[in-house]
Amino acid sequence: MSDDEREEKELDLTSSEVVTKYKGAAEIVNKALQLVVKECKPKAKIVDICEKGDAFIREQTGNMYKNSKKKIERGVAFPTCLSVNNTVCHFSPLASDTSELEEGDMIKIDMGCHIDGFIAVVAHTHVVQSGPITGKQADVVAAANTAAEVALRLVRPGKKNKDVSDAIQKVAAAYDCKIIEGVLSHQLKQFVIDGNKVILSVSNPDTRVDDAEFEENEVYAVDIVASTGEGKPKLLDEKQTTIYKRAVDKNYHLKMKASRFIFSEINQRFPILPFTARALEEKRARLGLVECVNHDLLQPYPVLYEKPGDYVAHIKFTVLLMPNGSDRITSHPLQELQPTKTIDDPEIKAWLALGTKTKKKGGGKKKKGKKGDKAEGGAEGEAMDASTNGGAS
């Protein structure tokens, strides 16, 4: 075995140290999400909440591996985003932004943490209100959550990425919702947040991805975004984009001094994983980032929108495909849901009844999914109300 092969082998889930790092990152991002949910109150400034989420991750990861002889990178793997109502994703404003939350807002919280490049990401949907979520808001959260529970059971060794795409669309349709087009669920590897093996959220002729089969010891970020609208989000204003990732395979000699200064800072501080422009000096960043993006040195994560009045729900989780079954390591319990629709489709019920653990050899069995259409809980282990037909997320 060559050194390269040995290195590759050591860096997957066959190494207990790697599993520990994934789970450590997950524990921090789950706690960060808990903190952010608590901060989501009427009149709270969105940028302040995003900052608190990122600061918590930096602080918690900073306390780990302090005495390690080898320098271990750790911190934010994806900046905290709070996308409200018909905003689909990636809203993480600059410090000068004054946007505030209001009572009844439906918020998608999206964030990520890494330890030594082993990434745990999570997204969760929360409504700023006390009491149960009802009506269309409940339908779209139930659609995203039930689709996530089905995906958890289908992202397993031997299954194909297309199986998952078809299933999540079927679940959303049962709630009279659409899965948002263009969302990809990626395989995660060390320092790679967008691996080449992907699950396409909506199969259509315009977007093609290679057929792929899931394998043991892989890690995936399963990303489900559902909408009460058409599911075809639009970019309204490029100036709202604040999250970027260095395109490591691209080079260009930048003309503007501001661009060269910003690009040099990005290469030093954020060489691989996504970052927020908030971390850069605002005036200089505004000037410099444009030229970097125009020459493909940075990959932007645009803020996308459905139509006003539409509701969008987002559930994302990290799953380790361990030899004894799927281990979902990121999640947060949902508020109580009272959707107007229930799941009657036998195929969806059958998916939800699948266990997430594999059978032991020699006749012994791991615990299977709970009876009927009530799925196992997520990482929090808290089952949802049966009316949601899904587990906790």
Side-chain angles (χ1 to χ4, degrees):
M1 191 189 285
S2 72
D3 284 351
D4 284 352
E5 283 175 323
R6 192 173 290 111
E7 185 74 359
E8 179 73 21
K9 186 164 174 47
E10 282 167 3
L11 296 183
D12 72 12
L13 300 178
T14 53
S15 156
S16 62
E17 192 185 344
V18 168
V19 174
T20 299
K21 286 173 179 171
Y22 272 119
K23 289 190 171 179
E27 191 179 339
I28 290 171
V29 86
N30 285 334
K31 283 180 180 165
L33 174 55
Q34 216 171 340
L35 172 92
V36 167
V37 168
K38 279 184 185 150
E39 294 289 332
C40 290
K41 299 180 179 118
K43 303 295 174 212
K45 265 176 78 176
I46 291 177
V47 66
D48 292 348
I49 303 173
C50 292
E51 270 300 308
K52 281 177 182 167
D54 290 351
F56 180 86
I57 290 172
R58 284 194 297 268
E59 178 195 318
Q60 295 291 311
T61 52
N63 292 333
M64 300 178 81
Y65 295 98
K66 274 183 171 171
N67 303 320
S68 171
K69 287 178 184 157
K70 178 184 153 207
K71 189 188 175 205
I72 290 186
E73 299 280 341
R74 56 213 191 274
V76 174
F78 197 84
T80 305
C81 303
L82 260 69
S83 306
V84 177
N85 296 332
N86 63 313
T87 314
V88 175
C89 54
H90 305 148
F91 190 78
S92 189
L94 298 174
S96 55
D97 188 275
T98 57
S99 311
E100 293 181 345
L101 296 179
E102 293 176 17
E103 182 76 25
D105 277 348
M106 176 176 258
I107 309 156
K108 279 75 65 190
I109 303 161
D110 189 3
M111 59 204 313
C113 170
H114 80 95
I115 294 169
D116 197 19
F118 297 104
I119 299 162
V121 287
V122 69
H124 173 73
T125 301
H126 178 78
V127 178
V128 183
Q129 67 178 53
S130 54
I133 304 173
T134 58
K136 279 191 163 184
Q137 284 187 326
D139 288 345
V140 75
V141 176
N145 183 60
T146 309
E149 289 292 344
V150 166
L152 174 63
R153 287 153 175 77
L154 296 182
V155 177
R156 58 199 311 166
K159 291 279 190 189
K160 303 247 181 352
N161 53 355
K162 190 178 181 305
D163 301 336
V164 182
S165 307
D166 295 345
I168 62 175
Q169 287 175 78
K170 185 169 188 173
V171 171
Y175 286 100
D176 209 10
C177 292
K178 292 264 174 44
I179 293 290
I180 291 274
E181 290 183 8
V183 177
L184 295 172
S185 296
H186 288 273
Q187 185 183 2
L188 299 173
K189 292 185 171 182
Q190 189 181 26
F191 289 110
V192 180
I193 201 165
D194 50 2
N196 292 334
K197 265 191 174 181
V198 298
I199 304 160
L200 186 60
S201 55
V202 177
S203 327
N204 65 33
D206 305 334
T207 324
R208 298 273 171 160
V209 299
D210 291 338
D211 288 342
E213 188 174 298
F214 307 115
E215 293 173 50
E216 202 171 277
N217 296 315
E218 290 180 336
V219 182
Y220 285 89
V222 178
D223 205 349
I224 312 279
V225 191
S227 170
T228 59
E230 291 176 8
K232 298 176 190 289
K234 303 265 188 304
L235 170 65
L236 298 184
D237 182 2
E238 279 181 14
K239 291 195 190 74
Q240 283 192 320
T241 303
T242 61
I243 297 177
Y244 302 90
K245 182 170 82 73
R246 171 79 172 95
V248 286
D249 54 341
K250 297 282 196 296
N251 285 296
Y252 175 80
H253 186 69
L254 294 159
K255 306 288 186 284
M256 284 167 55
K257 191 177 174 185
S259 308
R260 291 198 298 274
F261 181 89
I262 284 293
F263 191 58
S264 164
E265 188 178 354
I266 290 165
N267 276 334
Q268 282 170 6
R269 292 175 61 200
F270 311 109
I272 300 173
L273 292 169
F275 65 93
T276 165
R278 232 183 4 261
L280 309 167
E281 196 273 310
E282 192 165 322
K283 197 172 174 189
R284 196 177 248 155
R286 278 184 193 278
L287 281 169
L289 287 168
V290 175
E291 191 183 5
C292 294
V293 171
N294 286 346
H295 293 286
D296 299 326
L297 295 176
L298 297 176
Q299 174 192 326
Y301 287 79
V303 180
L304 300 176
Y305 291 87
E306 280 277 68
K307 293 191 173 122
D310 291 343
Y311 289 114
V312 179
H314 189 184
I315 303 277
K316 176 162 54 179
F317 62 87
T318 305
V319 61
L320 313 182
L321 303 189
M322 303 295 287
N324 66 340
S326 303
D327 191 356
R328 176 180 177 166
I329 57 171
T330 60
S331 72
H332 189 284
L334 290 171
Q335 292 155 288
E336 187 192 335
L337 300 178
Q338 293 178 355
T340 67
K341 310 274 189 298
T342 54
I343 294 284
D344 298 316
D345 184 285
E347 189 175 24
I348 298 175
K349 284 186 170 188
W351 287 325
L352 288 165
L354 292 170
T356 57
K357 300 296 178 194
T358 51
K359 290 180 188 177
K360 280 183 180 170
K361 286 182 178 144
K365 289 186 180 179
K366 284 269 183 178
K367 197 161 68 174
K368 278 283 196 174
K370 299 196 178 81
K371 60 187 175 189
D373 63 344
K374 198 163 173 189
E376 288 177 2
E380 299 289 328
E382 249 179 71
M384 281 297 300
D385 180 271
S387 63
T388 68
N389 293 282
S393 281

